[in-house]
């Protein structure tokens, strides 16, 4: 079975950690939050080699549903779609007055 990549985006304190936990508790899923702190964040200024390294760490997981939830993916969305066109993106929005 092919892998399904899932990515989440959102500002701090909007539920990104909870989203990753909820997704990871699904059958055959491993969706981390900021890669669990395993490597430094992706640079905000796009750097394709860093993205490739990041995606490799995700896709090599044994589960069918794999991904990451992190704010720093925003500049890379179009690149991720180029590499994994069937990726799913979940965007969390926090009320402006609560930020």
């Amino acid at each position: 079975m092919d892998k399904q990549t899932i990515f989440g985006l959102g500002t701090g304190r909007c539920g990104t950690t909870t989203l990753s936990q909820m997704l990871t508790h699904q059958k055959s899923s491993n969706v981390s939050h900021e890669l669990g702190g395993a490597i430094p964040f992706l640079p905000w200024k796009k750097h394709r080699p860093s993205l490739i390294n990041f995606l490799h760490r995700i896709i090599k997981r044994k589960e069918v549903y794999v991904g990451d939830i992190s704010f720093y993916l925003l500049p890379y969305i179009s690149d991720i779609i180029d590499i994994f066109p069937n990726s799913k993106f979940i965007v969390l929005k926090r009320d402006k007055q609560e930020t």
Side-chain angles (χ1 to χ4, degrees):
M1 180 182 277
D2 291 335
K3 301 252 185 204
Q4 172 62 61
T5 50
I6 303 167
F7 299 98
L9 304 147
T11 61
R13 311 303 307 157
C14 71
T16 54
T17 300
T18 302
L19 176 61
S20 72
Q21 292 169 350
M22 181 190 74
L23 291 172
T24 294
H25 281 93
Q26 305 307 307
K27 185 177 180 179
S28 195
S29 269
N30 185 344
V31 181
S32 54
H33 180 260
E34 298 175 355
L35 273 183
I39 61 171
F41 298 129
L42 285 170
W44 194 251
K45 183 176 179 183
K46 285 172 56 168
H47 185 253
R48 185 98 172 183
S50 293
L51 176 64
I52 298 301
N53 180 45
F54 175 87
L55 293 174
H56 175 73
R57 292 186 71 134
I58 289 170
I59 206 69
K60 72 178 186 179
R61 295 173 182 166
K62 64 182 179 184
E63 293 83 4
V64 175
Y65 301 96
V66 295
D68 191 62
I69 313 297
S70 47
F71 71 92
Y72 50 76
L73 291 170
L74 189 59
Y76 297 93
I77 292 173
S78 62
D79 296 298
I80 293 170
I81 292 170
D82 286 343
I83 298 166
F84 297 118
N86 294 322
S87 292
K88 304 297 182 201
F89 294 88
I90 301 169
V91 180
L92 300 175
K93 181 179 175 184
R94 185 172 181 195
D95 183 88
K96 190 175 186 177
Q97 297 303 319
E98 293 179 17
T99 305

